[in-house]
Amino acid sequence: MDLKNLIKELEVESIYGPIDVQIDNIHYDSRLIKPGGLFICIEGFMTDGHNYINEAIENGAVAIAVEKEIHEDRVPIIRFKNTRRAMASIASNFYGKPSQLLDMIGVTGTNGKTSVTYIIKSILENYDRKTAIIGTLATLINNEKMYSARTTPESLDLQGLFRKMIDGDVDTCIMEVSSHSLELNRVDEVSFKVGIFTNLTPDHLDFHSTMDNYREAKKKLFYKTTHCNIINLDDEAGRIIVKDIKNLDTPLLTYSINNPADFVAENIHNNGKELSFDVVGPENFNIKLTLKTPALFAVYNALASIACCYSLGVPADIIADGLNAFIGVPGRFQSIDGLKEFSAVVDYAHTPDALENVLKAAKEFTKNKLITVFGCGGDRDQTKRPVMGEIAGKYSDFSIITSDNPRSEDPYVILSMIEEGIKRTKGNYIIIEDRKEAIREAVKMAEAGDLIVIAGKGHETTQIVKDRVLVFDDKQVVLEVAGEEGRI
């Protein structure tokens, strides 16, 4: 595509050099540039793309997009006020505005995003829709699984994925929309049809500083939608968002368990293995459900998904069939089969609210003791560490504090911060920094009827320690040490 056409709708600060050049590829990583490429300089948290202009030109860049004053005579330089914002528009133009050709469903909130996307996928595929998913676990397009370092990829990568979906005859994309992506312009040019808010609990405060800032970042999604916004009224932030967006032209649907809403769950029964309940909605909508995840948070995830699919015209019986057939999400309250006498569950819970929800649910059907193995990630929000320690101490009969992904931090500094919280509860605990040995200790001490909850990593199959990425899968480690200890 001609560079002039790529940028014709954008606000440009300045242009140096002729822009009648053909652009064949676009990258924000200079190492990926090929001949005929446009290199977009992004100032990141770890590095600055402006430092790699020479490398990009040597690799074949025929134009450079910048937001700093750069003097370069070899290729045209286009300066924008914000290259992240410009990249979103350029990428959308380059790939033919693909999100406008999809039914885009965006799910935001602290917890539940992944589960909601997979439930919606289950329902819509039961309605013969061809879906794709973008989120924490992976991107799924026509059974092809692609991994990303981010919950929501950069705008350039996103638009490329949307084009791949269109080329693969996908009609609906269900994606997790992180607060970072909303703040950093990754979804600026995404045409969302439906926006969903699950909940808001402390997380990412190292980036947002305050809960108000965090909520305001999430709220941006609901100004981007065209068909329907769906909000959890049992969440305080959800109620604030509803007040703030009530004058928008986009229709609103709400859901809850405890407050009047458009979709309400009633007659909830938990037998420790399954959760059954009724859902009452508008226009005589009424379905009965049985979920295989015996936890209250599963009801909220179901309600959000039901409201979404209802807004898209899916009949009630199809919604019920899709939900009843849903088998769960990898790493979300996932049971490990084959253990002798005791049970074990792995879960991705890595925020205070998520950990509390998981432990509350586990406590309801634990026949004997609840043993919790967990840690907190390094180079992430430190304020939640003592809070999570306090939650573990409050709900667990015994806790083993261990490493999660310590990254560049000293693991023992992280463990000591968690310990501050667990001490407040006078709960029983030990510290074992090595995660495998922590899981081994839990397996060794487990007695008949005990339940071990291993929280924090869920679906992840690696552990990040300093600059090393180690193979580590909680599920496999449980089975390995259980075999070694004669507990299988």
Side-chain angles (χ1 to χ4, degrees), residues 157-375:
D157 304 317
L158 262 183
Q159 296 294 339
L161 291 171
F162 297 151
R163 172 46 58 187
K164 187 178 179 72
M165 293 174 195
I166 296 298
D167 293 343
D169 296 323
V170 169
D171 54 59
T172 306
C173 174
I174 315 144
M175 65 178 289
E176 297 180 46
V177 183
S178 69
S179 55
H180 286 72
S181 73
L182 288 157
E183 285 288 273
L184 298 174
N185 308 103
R186 294 178 198 159
V187 294
D188 273 12
E189 294 297 319
V190 181
S191 299
F192 287 103
K193 190 168 187 177
V194 179
I196 300 172
F197 175 78
T198 60
N199 51 60
L200 197 78
T201 61
D203 197 19
H204 304 304
L205 296 185
D206 53 332
F207 180 77
H208 296 289
S209 299
T210 69
M211 288 296 290
D212 285 347
N213 291 342
Y214 187 26
R215 183 190 66 244
E216 291 303 297
K218 295 287 190 187
K219 190 174 73 176
K220 289 181 179 181
L221 173 64
F222 306 104
Y223 292 91
K224 297 177 178 293
T225 55
T226 59
H227 178 72
C228 189
N229 284 321
I230 296 163
I231 310 290
N232 177 6
L233 279 188
D234 282 352
D235 185 272
E236 182 182 1
R239 294 191 291 272
I240 293 172
I241 290 172
V242 165
K243 290 179 182 177
D244 291 346
I245 67 172
K246 64 182 180 182
N247 293 325
L248 295 180
D249 291 335
T250 306
L252 173 69
L253 288 174
T254 57
Y255 66 95
S256 80
I257 296 174
N258 301 315
N259 288 286
D262 295 303
F263 289 88
V264 178
E266 300 177 345
N267 305 318
I268 300 171
H269 298 287
N270 186 347
N271 66 9
K273 293 183 179 180
E274 295 178 330
L275 196 74
S276 63
F277 57 101
D278 302 330
V279 178
V280 178
E283 299 177 325
N284 297 315
F285 183 99
N286 197 319
I287 59 175
K288 296 182 180 296
L289 296 172
T290 301
L291 303 182
K292 297 173 178 63
T293 303
L296 195 61
F297 59 79
V299 178
Y300 284 106
N301 295 340
L303 287 170
S305 306
I306 290 165
C308 173
C309 294
Y310 171 87
S311 77
L312 295 173
V314 182
D317 60 330
I318 299 292
I319 292 175
D321 289 345
L323 265 161
N324 286 326
F326 181 64
I327 61 173
V329 181
R332 268 56 174 184
F333 216 74
Q334 184 176 359
S335 296
I336 300 175
D337 297 328
L339 301 174
K340 187 185 294 185
E341 296 182 322
F342 69 97
S343 304
V345 167
V346 297
D347 194 272
Y348 188 53
H350 60 285
T351 66
D353 182 65
L355 183 63
E356 183 170 23
N357 286 337
V358 166
L359 296 185
K360 276 183 176 179
K363 197 75 174 171
E364 286 183 15
F365 61 85
T366 302
K367 297 176 182 176
N368 195 14
K369 297 192 303 297
L370 174 59
I371 302 168
T372 302
V373 181
F374 81 108

Side-chain angles (χ1 to χ4, degrees), residues 143-160:
N143 296 318
E144 181 184 353
K145 187 178 289 188
M146 294 159 279
Y147 296 97
S148 171
R150 302 179 177 92
T151 296
T152 311
E154 288 286 1
S155 60
L156 182 60
D157 304 317
L158 262 183
Q159 296 294 339

